[in-house]
Amino acid sequence: MKFFIDTANLDQIREAQALGVLDGVTTNPSLMAKEGITGKNNILKHYVDICNIVDGDVSAEVIATDFEGMVKEGEELAELHEQIVVKIPLTKDGIKACKYFSDNGIKTNVTLVFSAGQALLAAKAGATYVSPFIGRLDDISTDGLNLIDEIRMIYDNYAFDTQILAASVRHTMHIVNCAKIGADVMTGPLSSILGLLKHPLTDSGLEQFLADYKKGN
Ligand code: G3P
């Protein structure tokens, strides 16, 4: 499973990259705003800065909501850097834009996906990635992981190439359960990735090993 970090914070991206397990980055307009990155030119520059830190795919989201606007904006984003993946919302125009980009060799990430039917449409339109938001489904007392399971089954039934990018991951068990189901990618905050390191028996075991070494040396 690929690990993407879901942030626009350059320090956190650098920290995840330094760990050696990072495969890419996802961002969205809210994450950009959280870092105080505003204005078109600053946002475009920030995408390039992110691409220069990591080796893998970097999702950059369109703001336009109409087909022509999405195509124009997406082409501009794709021109920025070879690692850019154009992120498009799951709407009627978004699906049309996804098909356009797919036909023109531009990678896409179809976002704001909350149902298996939406994920099926995204795959039919040739999406590179589909982003089901599992945490936000959990937030409304729906089983986010069940959606990953459903999409996995549907994509496997028809050998769709679209990669399932489990998004809105909030914690380590989301990551572990996505891996068990077979999500292709997960994107989460740095805390969810670092959380995988933690186990009290690792800490106490290491403490004991070091104490025993000191006794003999
Ligand atoms: O990748 C999607 C993500 O940014 C949404 O996460 O935690 O705001 O639901 P969250």
Side-chain angles (χ1 to χ4, degrees), residues 5-26:
I5 188 169
D6 194 30
T7 185
N9 182 293
L10 298 183
D11 288 338
Q12 291 186 13
I13 294 170
R14 283 191 198 97
E15 187 174 341
Q17 174 69 17
L19 196 59
V21 299
L22 192 66
D23 301 297
V25 179
T26 51

Side-chain angles (χ1 to χ4, degrees), residues 65 70 88-96 110-111:
T65 54
M70 285 187 199
I88 317 160
L90 191 300
T91 60
K92 195 173 178 183
D93 282 39
I95 287 297
K96 282 169 66 179
V110 176
T111 190

Side-chain angles (χ1 to χ4, degrees), residues 34-112:
K34 193 174 163 197
E35 299 307 316
I37 314 295
T38 55
K40 188 179 169 186
N41 289 343
N42 290 333
I43 291 172
L44 296 185
K45 182 188 171 299
H46 204 72
Y47 285 137
V48 175
D49 289 345
I50 293 173
C51 289
N52 288 332
I53 296 172
V54 300
D55 299 321
D57 286 345
V58 174
S59 289
E61 190 155 343
V62 298
I63 303 300
T65 54
D66 62 302
F67 171 74
E68 286 79 13
M70 285 187 199
V71 165
K72 185 170 175 285
E73 219 181 303
E75 284 180 333
E76 196 177 350
L77 289 168
E79 279 292 304
L80 282 178
H81 199 284
E82 60 185 8
Q83 287 164 243
I84 292 286
V85 173
V86 179
K87 202 171 180 190
I88 317 160
L90 191 300
T91 60
K92 195 173 178 183
D93 282 39
I95 287 297
K96 282 169 66 179
C98 178
K99 176 72 173 121
Y100 171 88
F101 290 128
S102 162
D103 288 345
N104 286 278
I106 292 175
K107 286 187 181 180
T108 50
N109 175 358
V110 176
T111 190
L112 290 167

